[in-house]
Amino acid sequence: MYFIEAEEFEQELNFHECSHCKHQLFQDDKHNCHCESCKNKRKKLLKETLLQEQRKIKQKKDIVEHSLDQLNFLHKLFLLSLLDGHVQEGHVYNEFIRWEEIKYRPITPNYFFQSHLMKQLVRDNVLVPKDFSDDPHTYYINVRLDGYSEPSLYSVTQQLRHWFYENLSLGIPFRTTEEVKSTLYIVLYQEIVQFMQHYCRTWGIQIAGNNAFQTFCYRLLESLALGQIYYLVQTALEYLHQQKILQVRNENFINTNLLKKTLQQYRERSTTEKWETPTLPRPQNIPFSKMSDILLFRFLGYDENIFFQPIWRSWKKIEPRLNFYSVKRCMYCGSNDLNVEYDAENYVTLSCRKCKHQDHYFM
């Protein structure tokens, strides 16, 4: 290895050079070695970078762009829960969603549920990872809005707010009332999972839901109020903990299956012996998720009675109104391409965009 003293652009330049392969070592990072080995490495790196960029461009072309109104009701609800606190008029916000920064916030009733929904949106290319990002969990929303590609995050959020917050006067986010009812069951089931996880956390015990437990909870929700199910879950968990049956780790859903079996026994005995199941209020120290707040209180207009009466009783009050909007058609030409003017106290006016006919419904 020789020490070379040279000049470049009238500036002193010193470096070491190998007498065998001509490899050069500079004292700073401003200069590159031009030996055969280093030139080949740079060519290989440039080729790999070019292939990577071409692959990313091809993947981007293959990504299907969804219309916002084509998403199902649950995914629209999740997107609004995700964006409503992030995007505010008059405040600076980022056009990208940094999932690592917000994933532990109470967006949905429990972490595993919101992680599952996030994976679904990424899989469906509704949320797409940002290109050339150091953070692989930074996403942009890949949806069309009113026929335009790449709308701003604010425009998407405002459209979702119109659907969920404006009492159905600016459009509806669902296709049928069954879609809304199905989402209601899902959210209330996740509330049950959140309750039992919160209860078990004080003992340092893991627990989660599974398909069998979800099906069982759906049957309970058909006849019991959410608060009554809370009481049954609390009683069953305390019994299992006192008997030291629960395991620290919920491997193969052992704790979930034990809880389900105990709840089944309680329910069978209460039905046979005609017990009256008490109602437990929702604990105040459990965070109330953004999704539950939007669906139960803002969109469906429920109050705290949702926790104290079965779904079928609450649903009777809201279903006729949702049905009206999901099956509405022009009485003159049959088109469902309508403008809606809605006054919650007095009237509903449907204006057909096709034939301009108007239908007036007075409350």
Side-chain angles (χ1 to χ4, degrees):
M1 184 74 72
Y2 296 110
F3 180 74
I4 307 296
E5 295 181 351
E7 287 187 1
E8 184 181 54
F9 305 118
E10 299 183 355
Q11 296 290 326
E12 183 178 342
L13 177 64
N14 300 325
F15 58 91
H16 289 85
E17 182 177 283
C18 177
S19 59
H20 176 67
C21 66
K22 304 300 180 182
H23 179 64
Q24 298 171 337
L25 295 175
F26 295 92
Q27 297 176 348
D28 54 44
D29 297 329
K30 297 179 180 178
H31 298 85
N32 292 320
C33 173
H34 293 280
C35 72
E36 288 300 318
S37 177
C38 289
K39 286 195 291 186
N40 290 336
K41 285 181 181 178
R42 284 197 294 272
K43 287 180 181 178
K44 184 178 178 181
L45 183 62
L46 286 170
K47 186 176 180 180
E48 289 177 352
T49 303
L50 180 61
L51 288 173
Q52 186 179 13
E53 290 181 358
Q54 290 174 344
R55 194 179 300 116
K56 285 186 176 181
I57 291 171
K58 183 178 183 300
Q59 288 176 348
K60 193 168 184 180
K61 288 180 179 177
D62 292 340
I63 292 175
V64 177
E65 190 178 49
H66 300 272
S67 175
L68 184 61
D69 60 5
Q70 290 177 340
L71 304 184
N72 65 43
F73 181 76
L74 178 60
H75 286 167
K76 290 172 186 170
L77 176 61
F78 176 64
L79 275 180
L80 181 57
S81 305
L82 193 68
L83 297 175
D84 194 42
H86 177 68
V87 178
Q88 297 291 336
E89 188 174 5
H91 293 75
V92 177
Y93 63 89
N94 198 305
E95 283 287 334
F96 295 96
I97 298 171
R98 293 190 170 93
W99 180 240
E100 289 297 315
E101 296 178 4
I102 63 175
K103 66 180 181 179
Y104 293 118
R105 295 177 186 174
I107 300 166
T108 70
N110 63 79
Y111 169 77
F112 294 108
F113 181 51
Q114 65 193 37
S115 179
H116 170 70
L117 290 176
M118 191 71 181
K119 289 176 181 177
Q120 285 186 338
L121 293 182
V122 173
R123 178 200 66 198
D124 295 340
N125 293 320
V126 176
L127 294 177
V128 179
K130 180 183 176 185
D131 290 338
F132 310 112
S133 172
D134 294 332
D135 182 3
H137 301 289
T138 299
Y139 303 94
Y140 68 88
I141 293 187
N142 177 49
V143 295
R144 296 191 311 275
L145 184 61
D146 294 333
Y148 295 95
S149 295
E150 299 182 2
S152 68
L153 205 61
Y154 179 78
S155 300
V156 173
T157 306
Q158 281 297 96
Q159 180 59 64
L160 291 168
R161 286 170 178 156
H162 290 163
W163 283 338
F164 283 90
Y165 292 164
E166 298 300 327
N167 209 13
L168 306 182
S169 62
L170 298 178
I172 59 174
F174 57 91
R175 294 181 180 86
T176 66
T177 54
E178 284 304 312
E179 188 181 16
V180 180
K181 190 175 184 180
S182 173
T183 301
L184 176 61
Y185 269 87
I186 291 172
V187 171
L188 293 183
Y189 163 70
Q190 296 299 334
E191 287 280 339
I192 296 170
V193 173
Q194 181 190 33
F195 175 82
M196 66 190 197
Q197 287 179 335
H198 181 82
Y199 214 79
C200 287
R201 194 173 296 120
T202 59
W203 302 324
I205 290 173
Q206 293 180 354
I207 198 166
N210 59 18
N211 290 335
F213 186 73
Q214 181 175 2
T215 301
F216 175 69
C217 286
Y218 279 15
R219 292 202 303 268
L220 290 180
L221 285 167
E222 290 174 359
S223 55
L224 296 178
L226 188 62
Q228 291 176 303
I229 299 175
Y230 283 163
Y231 174 82
L232 291 176
V233 170
Q234 181 190 59
T235 305
L237 286 175
E238 287 182 347
Y239 168 77
L240 293 171
H241 181 62
Q242 289 171 0
Q243 299 298 315
K244 298 182 180 180
I245 299 175
L246 295 173
Q247 305 297 310
V248 174
R249 296 179 63 84
N250 191 34
E251 294 180 354
N252 297 320
F253 294 102
I254 183 172
N255 292 336
T256 306
N257 294 331
L258 285 169
L259 175 61
K260 174 177 170 287
K261 184 177 179 181
T262 306
L263 289 173
Q264 284 177 322
Q265 293 172 349
Y266 283 177
R267 185 59 183 155
E268 289 170 2
R269 287 191 61 186
S270 66
T271 303
T272 303
E273 301 177 16
K274 297 182 180 179
W275 293 352
E276 184 177 345
T277 305
T279 301
L280 182 70
R282 188 181 188 281
Q284 295 295 320
N285 58 341
I286 299 181
F288 195 59
S289 71
K290 186 72 173 178
M291 176 178 279
S292 297
D293 177 63
I294 292 173
L295 177 64
L296 302 179
F297 299 155
R298 301 292 298 274
F299 181 71
L300 294 177
Y302 284 133
D303 52 24
E304 293 295 330
N305 284 330
I306 189 64
F307 301 108
F308 302 113
Q309 61 187 25
I311 289 180
W312 65 265
R313 184 174 297 173
S314 301
W315 188 249
K316 283 175 65 176
K317 298 179 180 179
I318 194 67
E319 183 183 18
R321 182 164 149 268
L322 295 182
N323 248 332
F324 173 81
Y325 282 96
S326 63
V327 299
K328 63 184 184 299
R329 290 183 180 277
C330 174
M331 291 180 64
Y332 186 77
C333 70
S335 172
N336 57 5
D337 187 13
L338 307 173
N339 287 324
V340 181
E341 295 178 15
Y342 177 70
D343 186 306
E345 299 296 330
N346 299 310
Y347 67 88
V348 175
T349 297
L350 305 180
S351 302
C352 180
R353 294 175 183 168
K354 186 176 180 181
C355 69
K356 310 304 179 184
H357 179 74
Q358 288 189 341
D359 297 320
H360 302 281
Y361 299 87
F362 293 93
M363 303 299 184

